[in-house]
Amino acid sequence: MSFTWTAHRFSGGALALDVANSVVMRFDAERRTDRFDDPAAIDTFAEAANLYGAERNRFGTLVPAKSERRNAFIGLREATDRHFRALVRTEDRPDLLADLLEAVATVLRQPADTRKGTPLDVATAHSALGLIAGPERERLKICPNCAWLFLDRSRNRSRTWCDMAVCGNRTKARRHYRRSREEPKP
């Protein structure tokens, strides 16, 4: 099955969140899809992040993580997801922060070839560190439709969905369908 990264897949607002969101329907065992199960998808993700990612100007040109670095990259993705999800739920979990910092250190300790650009795993580690230390972590939310992590950068912090055009419309359509089925017919 062929898959294409679209702008919607970069709704997180930070590279680390977009990488965490590469697992679709994370908490639904029957419908869960890990887009990075296909190693080629990691390569095309780096290319797409150069086009659509919110931090595309921060890291320069992103290049795929080398195959020998991919296990550490996936570990970073999972630690990122666990830590920031707990943060949104206001759970005090220093152990998850420690896990994320260890995953970041694992990625950054490995020698990286930066001649052609910034490796995806290195940029993701820096993005996660920026979220940990920066003020935007207070703007983190979880989409009620798809459960993706995203930054609410709206002025009054009222954004509900990761992407209004996709999740917002789906939610509104479901609501409309339910209401129309409940209304008595004349």
Side-chain angles (χ1 to χ4, degrees), residues 9 28 31 75 77 82 94 98-99 117 119 121 139 146 164 175 186:
R9 302 289 175 179
D28 184 337
R31 298 177 6 190
R77 176 188 71 178
R82 286 189 303 271
D99 290 348
D121 57 333
R139 292 182 170 271
C146 67
M164 179 60 196
R175 215 177 302 145

Side-chain angles (χ1 to χ4, degrees), residues 8-61:
H8 164 67
R9 302 289 175 179
F10 294 86
S11 301
L15 180 62
L17 301 180
D18 293 333
V19 167
N21 294 339
S22 66
V23 178
V24 180
M25 305 302 287
R26 183 178 284 275
F27 301 105
D28 184 337
E30 292 178 12
R31 298 177 6 190
R32 176 186 165 100
T33 304
D34 184 347
R35 295 293 182 199
F36 290 167
D37 277 348
D38 177 4
I42 297 174
D43 298 343
T44 57
F45 181 91
E47 294 168 17
N50 288 320
L51 295 172
Y52 306 121
E55 294 180 308
R56 63 185 169 273
N57 297 325
R58 180 177 173 198
F59 302 112
T61 302

Side-chain angles (χ1 to χ4, degrees), residues 41-154:
I42 297 174
D43 298 343
T44 57
F45 181 91
E47 294 168 17
N50 288 320
L51 295 172
Y52 306 121
E55 294 180 308
R56 63 185 169 273
N57 297 325
R58 180 177 173 198
F59 302 112
T61 302
L62 294 177
V63 295
K66 298 277 186 198
S67 59
E68 62 271 11
R69 300 171 60 92
R70 292 198 175 167
N71 284 341
F73 175 60
I74 297 301
L76 174 60
R77 176 188 71 178
E78 296 306 304
T80 298
D81 186 79
R82 286 189 303 271
H83 170 70
F84 289 115
R85 228 168 254 292
L87 195 66
V88 171
R89 294 188 303 252
T90 63
E91 296 173 6
D92 185 23
R93 296 287 308 269
D95 60 320
L96 295 180
L97 175 58
D99 290 348
L100 177 54
L101 292 172
E102 286 174 14
V104 165
T106 298
V107 166
L108 295 180
R109 281 190 181 115
Q110 297 177 15
D113 181 2
T114 58
R115 289 175 290 180
K116 294 182 182 176
T118 306
L120 178 60
D121 57 333
V122 171
T124 302
H126 284 281
S127 176
L129 286 173
L131 287 172
I132 290 168
E136 284 197 310
R137 71 180 175 275
E138 312 235 343
R139 292 182 170 271
L140 273 163
K141 290 187 176 181
I142 298 173
C143 179
N145 184 58
C146 67
W148 279 3
L149 293 162
F150 70 94
L151 290 171
D152 177 0
R153 290 192 171 118
S154 65

Side-chain angles (χ1 to χ4, degrees), residues 137-179:
R137 71 180 175 275
E138 312 235 343
R139 292 182 170 271
L140 273 163
K141 290 187 176 181
I142 298 173
C143 179
N145 184 58
C146 67
W148 279 3
L149 293 162
F150 70 94
L151 290 171
D152 177 0
R153 290 192 171 118
S154 65
R155 182 173 291 170
N156 63 358
R157 299 180 187 201
S158 62
R159 186 170 151 196
T160 303
W161 300 286
C162 66
D163 185 341
M164 179 60 196
V166 177
C167 287
N169 285 345
R170 287 179 185 162
T171 302
K172 289 179 178 187
R174 273 195 302 272
R175 215 177 302 145
H176 173 74
Y177 177 76
R178 269 189 244 120
R179 276 195 307 261

